[in-house]
Amino acid sequence: MATKQEIITAIDSKIISKGNITAVDTNKILKDILEFSDKPAPTINGFDFGNVSKPFSTKQLATIKVNFTGIEKFSCSMYICTEAKLKDPQIDEKNGPDWIFFPLKDEEYKMLQSFLPNINEKQMYLTFMVPFYRAEYKDGTTTSVPGSLTNDTRASVSRADFPMTVIGVGLLEDQKNQKGVHIIVPEAGHISTSVALSYKPNKLNFDLFTKEMQTNLDKMYSSILEDNDLIID
């Protein structure tokens, strides 16, 4: 079968002003065009998976929804939505970080390998700065937005501004060989955002940190592997 460029070259050389193209040449060019147009289109494998219909929770977050949509080995976007629980001032002294482990099927994990770092290999997390509402205490002031509920079981909002937080995302296989996505949320709060994922392998160079920081990073990676299966209620 002739290529597109070969067909164009034949047309440019045979079909010319005041030319004398033969029926044989015309027949060949038209057949080449038809054969080229019958060439099957490349297969596009799209994917769309997550837990939006069945959100899970942690001790600080009432709901966590994660979804991945894209085309295999070409593009991927991640949607994440969290809702923070109201905090008890007698128990919760501070608004701590949440380590979210989102389990994946083998085929889903394989699809995301083109877009996310591998934490087991100590690759750097993909990080994103996103706006959020901080979790509030049960005895805190209620929202002043007209028509809003004041007796909700989730955190209310008492400010109009959007503070920013940084979330980290990466692939992880835990000590029980469960594969999934590991998401670090430094502070519990309300988040609803979508981000495009793109990643090229880049291991964390420990030599660029002090000995003390290297020790802390080693402890962090070990803690992630040991504790991620305990964070989901």
Side-chain angles (χ1 to χ4, degrees), residues 132-177:
F132 79 116
Y133 285 118
R134 284 191 175 92
E136 293 189 336
Y137 289 101
K138 293 179 180 179
D139 60 353
T141 56
T142 57
T143 178
S144 61
V145 179
S148 63
L149 297 175
T150 58
N151 295 319
D152 201 347
T153 58
R154 294 162 292 184
S156 61
V157 177
S158 63
R159 61 188 69 80
D161 62 311
F162 283 82
M164 305 295 288
T165 191
V166 178
I167 61 175
V169 186
L171 292 176
L172 181 71
E173 184 173 345
D174 67 13
Q175 293 180 331
K176 298 178 182 178
N177 300 120

Side-chain angles (χ1 to χ4, degrees), residues 187-212:
E187 185 178 351
H190 297 267
I191 297 172
S192 181
T193 192
S194 180
V195 294
L197 302 178
S198 179
Y199 180 79
K200 300 298 179 184
N202 181 14
K203 284 194 175 183
L204 196 62
N205 188 347
F206 276 43
D207 292 335
L208 298 177
F209 297 94
T210 63
K211 293 296 183 182
E212 181 181 1

Side-chain angles (χ1 to χ4, degrees), residues 54-75:
K54 296 180 179 181
F56 51 78
S57 64
T58 67
K59 292 180 180 179
Q60 296 186 108
L61 297 175
T63 61
I64 302 166
K65 301 174 184 177
V66 184
N67 198 82
F68 298 92
T69 306
I71 299 173
E72 189 174 0
K73 296 182 180 180
F74 182 72
S75 66

Side-chain angles (χ1 to χ4, degrees), residues 30-87:
L30 291 175
K31 283 184 176 179
D32 285 342
I33 292 173
L34 289 174
E35 287 182 6
F36 186 82
S37 64
D38 284 340
K39 184 179 179 181
T43 302
I44 298 177
N45 296 321
F47 59 85
D48 187 348
F49 55 86
N51 73 326
V52 174
S53 60
K54 296 180 179 181
F56 51 78
S57 64
T58 67
K59 292 180 180 179
Q60 296 186 108
L61 297 175
T63 61
I64 302 166
K65 301 174 184 177
V66 184
N67 198 82
F68 298 92
T69 306
I71 299 173
E72 189 174 0
K73 296 182 180 180
F74 182 72
S75 66
C76 179
S77 63
M78 180 187 75
Y79 171 70
I80 179 170
C81 178
T82 68
E83 294 178 287
K85 296 177 182 178
L86 285 168
K87 297 166 64 62

